[in-house]
Amino acid sequence: MRTRTHRRRFGFSDPSAIMGFVENMILVVVVFLFAGAIAIPQVNPPPRDGIEKRQTTEPTPFYIEMRWADQLPHDLDLYITCYSLVNMQRTDPTVVFYNRKSSRWLNLLHDATGYPRSQRNVEEARVNSSVRTVPKNTVCLINTHIWSRHGGPLPVKGTVLAIANKDSPRQKTIVNLEFTIGQVGEECSLAQIVWDEKSDVLFDSVETYPNLPTQRIATVGAADNPPTCTPTKGCAS
């Protein structure tokens, strides 16, 4: 009888022992989950913003990046238009900007609108992942346009970077320059790039700011004739 009583008191047939065992198991699980919650962010920290989340090391035949100082409130926009030359005729128009982030083979990855709405003032575009080369005999024009300064000072400076075959052994910088925008509504052509019949960049044919006359994309057809950059003198004042 003493042996049976001892087993009932301390064995699993004792309700208090069962509850104690369950409580201990719950405590172990809670500690394990808490430790995992602390460890996971250290192993794989969350992206700082949408741009970092989209970053990839997958090679791309054409990459464009426009930046201006992160703490500036100005809203600059990247406009890119491309077309193919067939028998001296423009065909297959491709245009991307903040309101049209995907067009044919080109994607705009991010639209920055100035601090604090955007933590990083950078806009990026690249050939989409289903395309391995820029279409042959293609011409691309890269423009910038300032939508608003949101109280920020003018002029405002920015940079534009264009890379061929990014993140591949054949990577080569096409354009890397600084530009200046002088007034709200101004549009400026930053670079014009040409690819040959083998889909290779014709580096000798690249035209850049400030010597490249502005060809309107953002403000084409505007009734109020917004200001544009002027060759050799930069942006009009």
Side-chain angles (χ1 to χ4, degrees):
M1 292 294 293
R2 291 177 61 186
T3 302
R4 179 175 295 180
T5 301
H6 179 78
R7 289 175 60 190
R8 287 176 59 85
R9 181 175 296 177
F10 298 103
F12 284 96
S13 59
D14 188 337
S16 62
I18 295 174
M19 290 301 297
F21 175 77
V22 171
E23 290 173 356
N24 287 336
M25 290 302 297
I26 292 174
L27 180 61
V28 170
V29 171
V30 169
V31 170
F32 177 78
L33 292 176
F34 180 74
I38 295 176
I40 289 175
Q42 305 305 319
V43 174
N44 186 22
R48 289 189 296 271
D49 54 31
I51 302 169
E52 185 172 316
K53 187 175 181 180
R54 293 183 179 91
Q55 285 181 341
T56 176
T57 57
E58 181 181 354
T60 181
F62 187 37
Y63 171 85
I64 310 97
E65 175 186 284
M66 182 179 72
R67 291 180 178 270
W68 61 106
D70 287 342
Q71 299 303 313
L72 290 178
H74 307 69
D75 184 357
L76 274 65
D77 291 305
L78 181 65
Y79 282 77
I80 305 170
T81 181
C82 303
Y83 57 86
S84 296
L85 279 176
V86 179
N87 297 323
M88 302 306 295
Q89 299 293 319
R90 297 185 180 189
T91 63
D92 303 326
T94 300
V95 182
V96 294
F97 59 102
Y98 70 91
N99 205 31
R100 187 179 183 181
K101 292 185 171 65
S102 181
S103 177
R104 299 175 63 83
W105 49 271
L106 192 62
N107 293 336
L108 180 69
L109 302 183
H110 179 72
D111 171 44
T113 56
Y115 182 84
R117 294 165 300 280
S118 297
Q119 294 302 307
R120 299 176 64 198
N121 286 330
V122 55
E123 299 202 357
E124 297 171 291
R126 59 177 285 156
V127 173
N128 66 52
S129 59
S130 65
V131 178
R132 294 189 175 183
T133 61
V134 173
K136 64 181 182 179
N137 299 320
T138 289
V139 179
C140 284
L141 179 68
I142 303 171
N143 279 17
T144 185
H145 173 259
I146 180 168
W147 174 257
S148 174
R149 65 187 182 95
H150 293 300
L154 290 173
V156 60
K157 294 182 180 296
T159 61
V160 64
L161 172 69
I163 299 175
N165 304 306
K166 186 177 185 295
D167 297 320
S168 81
R170 298 175 57 223
Q171 175 172 314
K172 190 170 183 179
T173 298
I174 308 171
V175 173
N176 188 6
L177 58 83
E178 183 179 276
F179 62 87
T180 302
I181 292 288
Q183 56 186 307
V184 173
E186 195 162 47
E187 182 172 8
C188 185
S189 289
L190 303 177
Q192 182 169 276
I193 304 166
V194 180
W195 285 258
D196 64 15
E197 60 184 11
K198 296 181 180 179
S199 295
D200 292 327
V201 175
L202 295 174
F203 285 90
D204 292 340
S205 299
V206 175
E207 297 182 72
T208 60
Y209 167 95
N211 299 314
L212 174 64
T214 293
Q215 304 172 54
R216 297 180 187 271
I217 304 175
T219 58
V220 63
D224 56 350
N225 192 31
T228 62
C229 293
T230 56
T232 70
K233 296 182 181 180
C235 290
S237 59

